[in-house]
Amino acid sequence: MNVALKLAGRNIRVFLRDKTSVFFSFLSVIIIILLYVLFLGDTMVSSIKDHIADPNLARFFTDTWIMAGVLVANAVTTTLGALEVIVNDEDKGINRDFMVAPVKRWQLVAGYILSAWVMGIFIGTLIFVISQAYIVMRGGELISLVNAAKVMGLIVLNVLAFSSFNFLVVSFFKTNASFSTFSTLVGTMIGFVTGVYVPVGVLPKFIQQLMLIVPPTHGASLMRQFYMERAIEKVFAGAPADIQSEFLRIYGVTLHLNGKQIEVPVMILVIAASGILFFALSVLRMMGKKSA
């Protein structure tokens, strides 16, 4: 494990030296926040004013809703940006040195993924703190300590799972041009996958069902359940349970399969299992490269 930690430290230093890569690794998150602050926020508040009469509560609801989605988007885009080191090593031939060195394949994979974990968790924590400051400044309330702990745990889980998937995909890229194209695609799609640009519940049923196989969709739903608990309590105080259930379904706070709500443990299992699966596939991928 000491070898993996040393490789992770090396990868982090290489990543941080390239300030442009660091910036572009969370550019998608910045764009989502700017779009919300400048355009989407007022539009969302206006769209739900018939359901939430109090504009302050409507703002509290939408602020927590968007920031929860941003935290999940960050777990995808930041870890992807940190893994650009793999492509640079491939382009410069450094990976060939690793292949002939006395380093086990799983250690090499772990070194890359650990570096992505560190960057993803660090930036995710920073965004969480900033988002809470933003919500309070806009008249909202701080998250409870219990839910803050849940959010932090989910940040870690999302980062661990999504970085494994990103590693597997990035390991097939040979040039920075191909990586940049994929990063642009992910940055464009992540707002839709996490239900930031369009609430999941307003999409066609086929698309809703298709999105259930994408782990970030489950991550966004879980994050909103933890992050928005106080906003949901205040908005739906005294409201019929069926109205609250339908509203949360439309906004992707809860996910449903065949008319039944998917429970929290199931969504956690989906995210964790995907992380384990993609890590195993990544190790097999590196073993295949060794023999090539």
Side-chain angles (χ1 to χ4, degrees), residues 10-20 22 85 119:
R10 172 260 176 189
N11 295 334
I12 292 172
R13 290 192 296 271
V14 171
F15 173 66
L16 291 178
R17 279 203 298 265
D18 189 344
K19 300 299 188 294
T20 302
V22 174
V85 176
M119 296 309 304

Side-chain angles (χ1 to χ4, degrees), residues 90-137:
E90 179 79 26
D91 186 54
K92 297 175 181 177
I94 297 175
N95 66 311
R96 289 193 290 271
D97 296 333
F98 286 140
M99 292 301 176
V100 299
V103 178
K104 295 181 174 60
R105 299 307 99 189
W106 73 265
Q107 292 175 324
L108 186 58
V109 174
Y112 284 119
I113 293 181
L114 277 171
S115 62
W117 289 355
V118 171
M119 296 309 304
I121 293 171
F122 172 76
I123 296 178
T125 302
L126 181 62
I127 292 176
F128 174 50
V129 172
I130 294 174
S131 71
Q132 281 294 289
Y134 172 81
I135 288 170
V136 171
M137 288 189 297

Side-chain angles (χ1 to χ4, degrees), residues 71-72 74-76 78-80 83 113-125 152-166 223 271 275:
L71 286 172
V72 178
N74 169 76
V76 177
T78 300
T79 55
L80 177 62
L83 290 171
I113 293 181
L114 277 171
S115 62
W117 289 355
V118 171
M119 296 309 304
I121 293 171
F122 172 76
I123 296 178
T125 302
M152 287 304 305
L154 191 54
I155 287 174
V156 173
L157 177 63
N158 285 334
V159 166
L160 266 58
F162 304 154
S163 58
S164 296
F165 170 77
N166 283 335
M223 187 66 77
I271 298 171

